[in-house]
């Protein structure tokens, strides 16, 4: 078929194939969730309904894109880690990022009524970015970074909101009170003022959530070779709230590194 004289405009499009043989991480983050959570009167500092909804939306994304091996989420963000060898959409960044973002958002909206008994009062949206990591060390350090961030924020927010909700502090007073305090001091404030042992706080708040694709057959847990497509299709998605920084997370699940290849 003859090309139209307008066809030349295609040349203006940009190639955006992501570097091969690198781990792709797509991180999405809620737009203006400070305002969104206020509007929907979320519980402070953690609203379990929202965390469950975020986890449900992440599960939808992982079910749709089987080259995502694991995902880590906390607060209003989620990181999706793809196998190094994925060739989905020829690794085109805009295709991958926009699909993940829009599917996550529609799953969040679609599943809202299952988690909240109030209607949605504004339209949530999520930004997205792809970052490439060249080896397992940096990939693991990336996940550690997000989990440490979750821990630091949660310890701060738990102490901050206790001071306000139970301690009678104003926002400004609580902020001033916590300025410059280290972790141990926040633990101490929680314990001495409110009788809270931070270590006993729910793991989902302290560690965030991790979805993994997991073989159901125990033998596959030991496998150090590649998985067949048939085996991959039979895998299940499991959610965990554990330390990613622990070597144990990886050594007890050797199939993850195989899937990530
Ligand atoms: N009360 C409450 N607030 C939450 C919860 N989860 C997230 N948030 C709010 O969402 C915000 C997320 O932080 P950010 O992603 O840095 O900020 P943002 O307002 O979404 O702004 P942008 O991401 O830059 O668009 C937090 O600062 C909280 O205000 C929750 O479970 N309960
Ligand atoms: Mg946000
Ligand atoms: Mg955020």
């Amino acid at each position: 078929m003859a090309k139209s004289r307008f066809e030349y405009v295609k040349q203006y499009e940009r190639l955006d194939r992501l570097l091969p043989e690198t781990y792709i991480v797509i991180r999405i983050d809620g737009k203006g969730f400070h305002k969104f959570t206020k509007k929907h009167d979320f519980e402070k500092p953690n609203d379990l309904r929202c965390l469950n909804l975020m986890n449900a939306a992440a599960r939808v994304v992982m079910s749709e894109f089987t080259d995502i091996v694991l995902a880590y989420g906390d607060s209003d963000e989620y990181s999706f880690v793809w196998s190094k060898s994925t060739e989905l959409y020829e690794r085109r960044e805009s295709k991958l990022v926009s699909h993940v973002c829009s599917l996550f958002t529609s799953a969040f909206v679609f599943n809202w009524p299952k988690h909240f008994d109030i209607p949605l009062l504004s339209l949530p949206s999520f930004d997205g970015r792809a970052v490439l990591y060249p080896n397992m060390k940096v990939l693991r350090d990336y996940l550690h970074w997000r989990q440490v961030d979750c821990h630091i924020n949660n310890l701060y927010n738990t102490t901050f909101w206790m001071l306000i909700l139970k301690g009678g502090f104003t926002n400004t007073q609580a902020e001033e009170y916590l300025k410059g305090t280290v972790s141990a001091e926040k633990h101490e404030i929680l314990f001495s003022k409110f009788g809270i042992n931070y270590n006993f706080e729910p793991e989902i708040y302290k560690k965030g959530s991790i979805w993994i694709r997991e073989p159901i057959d125990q033998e596959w847990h030991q496998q150090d070779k590649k998985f067949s497509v048939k085996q991959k299709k039979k895998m299940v998605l499991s959610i965990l709230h554990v330390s990613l920084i622990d070597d144990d997370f990886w050594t007890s699940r050797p199939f993850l590194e195989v899937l990530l290849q």
Side-chain angles (χ1 to χ4, degrees), residues 27-31 33 74-78 127 146 149 153:
R27 182 168 77 248
I28 58 105
D29 184 286
K31 176 178 180 288
F33 260 48
D74 80 287
S75 182
D76 66 340
E77 70 169 66
Y78 239 103
D127 67 33
R146 296 327 301 146
D149 197 66
N153 288 336

Side-chain angles (χ1 to χ4, degrees), residues 3-95:
K3 286 183 176 179
S4 86
R5 69 189 170 91
F6 304 114
E7 189 99 2
Y8 80 96
V9 295
K10 251 187 110 53
Q11 293 169 32
Y12 285 74
E13 288 181 15
R14 183 165 53 88
L15 286 176
D16 63 350
R17 178 175 160 76
L18 291 166
L19 198 69
E21 290 304 311
T22 48
Y23 300 103
I24 301 170
V25 175
I26 295 180
R27 182 168 77 248
I28 58 105
D29 184 286
K31 176 178 180 288
F33 260 48
H34 184 69
K35 201 169 154 196
F36 180 84
T37 53
K38 242 184 168 163
K39 191 169 186 127
H40 294 88
D41 201 19
F42 275 27
E43 279 166 36
K44 297 167 179 105
N46 293 296
D47 194 312
L48 195 54
R49 297 169 299 177
C50 186
L51 292 177
N52 288 336
L53 175 56
M54 291 286 293
N55 291 341
R59 192 186 204 287
V60 171
V61 172
M62 280 194 74
S63 306
E64 178 65 25
F65 299 112
T66 47
D67 282 349
I68 298 174
V69 178
L70 94 162
Y72 174 75
D74 80 287
S75 182
D76 66 340
E77 70 169 66
Y78 239 103
S79 297
F80 297 94
V81 185
W82 296 67
S83 81
K84 202 160 65 171
S85 55
T86 187
E87 277 301 328
L88 188 68
Y89 301 124
E90 297 158 329
R91 298 174 75 91
R92 283 158 63 197
E93 179 173 7
S94 50
K95 277 268 191 187

